[in-house]
Amino acid sequence: MPTKVIAGGLATTIQDLGRPGYYHLGIPISGAMDRYALRAANRLVGNDEGAAALEAVFIGPELEFTEDALVAVTGAEMTPRVDGEEQAPWTAFPVAAGQVLSFDFLKSGARAYIAISGGIDVPLALGSRSTYAIGALGGYEGRAIQAGDLLPLGAAAGAKAGRALPEALRRKLGAPVELRVLPGLYWHRLVEASQKSFFDDTWKVAPECDRMGYRFRDGQSLDFVEREPPFGAGSDPSNITDACYPYGSVQVPGGTEPIVLHRDAVSGGGYFMLGTVISADMDLIGQMQPHTPTRFVKVDMDQALAARHERQALVEKMRAALG
């Protein structure tokens, strides 16, 4: 029996771990902005880690259940309630048929992940149930959920209520948040003073932050090395001849406000990339609210790979804790 949406929240979409393999065709990876939180939520309710769940941004949805289910809410601190009774986050709790799941106001973070036993069983689109709203692909009719929608569920695996992820394994943001960046092919396009100020300055998340990318402001403008623009690049010094954009690329259009490309970003274009936020830190961005102070930290490839191993070790600890 499907779960009924009473209210969709601000921008609640169905997401799994994404649809790799189509980036070269201009179709982004999509999937959860905070993959660790999604994995943990699914584990808590007995789902496969990559099962489809709900990603709620800033404001949670209101859902009426038509059959008994197990639910877990991870990520942003947005207290869940069942018929008004508070439930623990990062913990599997039961919801009976006829009961309503709702959420308090946001206290910290930006995106909460709501996993339901059995997973949300919408049709696959290019191998994924993730919503890519700009392309009207995947999820529930290619869009955010809204009142009146009926969310189909898969078969539950029979997990038990009460399982919780230990506090030490719940990743939290620092103050300021530190995002490690590996300088890229176009790093040399910045003058030395701007290379230094990019890493020395404290930036803040701009209001323009979404699944496509996060913009940062309040740092110094970046200056470019003078050059003769190559054919097709345009006159702006931040332009290049069109190139591919890796996931996590840092653009600085006009040299003013860096933009980190995220899950729904385009795969190529004509802005230079000063570097790439390492994969181990991309989940953090998904939990950052506007005005969050941020420092970019320069790393080399060895440090980036070491961070990837540390990140994987954290995932393995989570798996071991939840069985």
Side-chain angles (χ1 to χ4, degrees):
M1 294 286 289
T3 295
K4 182 179 180 180
V5 179
I6 300 174
L10 180 62
T12 304
T13 57
I14 297 170
Q15 301 292 343
D16 54 24
L17 290 177
R19 54 175 59 83
Y22 300 94
Y23 206 49
H24 66 294
L25 300 175
I27 299 174
I29 302 167
S30 295
M33 293 274 282
D34 184 344
R35 292 162 64 89
Y36 182 78
L38 174 78
R39 290 179 187 274
N42 274 320
R43 281 260 174 181
L44 283 164
V45 299
N47 293 345
D48 180 86
E49 287 181 14
L54 294 175
E55 177 184 85
V57 186
F58 299 143
I59 298 175
E62 191 171 349
L63 308 173
E64 181 181 351
F65 284 70
T66 55
E67 62 181 67
D68 296 351
L70 202 60
V71 174
V73 180
T74 62
E77 188 179 356
M78 192 185 298
T79 303
R81 293 181 179 272
V82 176
D83 283 353
E85 184 176 343
E86 184 174 324
Q87 305 295 319
W90 299 86
T91 303
F93 57 86
V95 182
Q99 291 189 309
V100 173
L101 173 68
S102 61
F103 293 84
D104 286 354
F105 63 88
L106 179 70
K107 298 179 181 68
S108 65
R111 290 171 172 80
Y113 291 86
I114 307 159
I116 304 172
S117 52
I120 301 175
D121 195 23
V122 291
L124 292 167
L126 299 180
S128 170
R129 295 181 171 86
S130 288
T131 308
Y132 174 44
I134 296 172
L137 181 68
Y140 195 99
E141 299 180 358
R143 57 167 171 78
I145 63 171
Q146 58 191 33
D149 289 347
L150 298 174
L151 306 179
L153 301 178
K160 295 182 179 180
R163 284 205 301 176
L165 186 69
E167 187 74 29
L169 298 180
R170 304 177 190 182
R171 200 177 188 196
K172 293 179 172 61
L173 298 177
V177 177
E178 292 190 347
L179 299 176
R180 289 166 287 188
V181 174
L182 185 66
L185 292 175
Y186 301 93
W187 179 244
H188 67 283
R189 292 283 299 113
L190 293 175
V191 300
E192 186 175 346
S194 290
Q195 291 177 344
K196 184 175 186 300
S197 68
F198 175 73
F199 289 116
D200 286 347
D201 288 351
T202 297
W203 302 82
K204 288 186 179 179
V205 176
E208 301 88 354
C209 55
D210 56 26
R211 290 185 51 82
M212 288 188 67
Y214 264 57
R215 184 185 293 267
F216 295 83
R217 59 181 49 161
D218 289 354
Q220 300 178 57
S221 292
L222 305 179
D223 295 322
F224 298 87
V225 174
E226 292 187 11
R227 63 161 186 180
E228 182 72 25
F231 177 78
S235 58
D236 191 294
S238 65
N239 290 152
I240 57 172
T241 303
D242 282 9
C244 298
Y245 294 155
Y247 167 62
S249 292
V250 185
Q251 302 175 350
V252 193
T256 55
E257 297 177 344
I259 301 171
V260 179
L261 302 186
H262 221 291
R263 305 296 298 184
D264 285 354
V266 295
S267 57
Y271 288 120
F272 101 118
M273 299 147 281
L274 61 81
T276 305
V277 174
I278 65 173
S279 60
D281 289 350
M282 290 297 287
D283 283 357
L284 297 177
I285 297 175
Q287 295 297 352
M288 294 167 66
Q289 299 179 11
H291 312 298
T292 300
T294 309
R295 296 288 302 271
F296 294 106
V297 178
K298 186 177 181 180
V299 295
D300 59 25
M301 182 61 75
D302 287 341
Q303 291 170 312
L305 292 174
R308 178 188 290 182
H309 288 306
E310 290 172 3
R311 166 76 170 173
Q312 187 58 37
L314 178 64
V315 172
E316 293 300 333
K317 288 178 182 178
M318 177 269 290
R319 289 170 176 163
L322 299 180

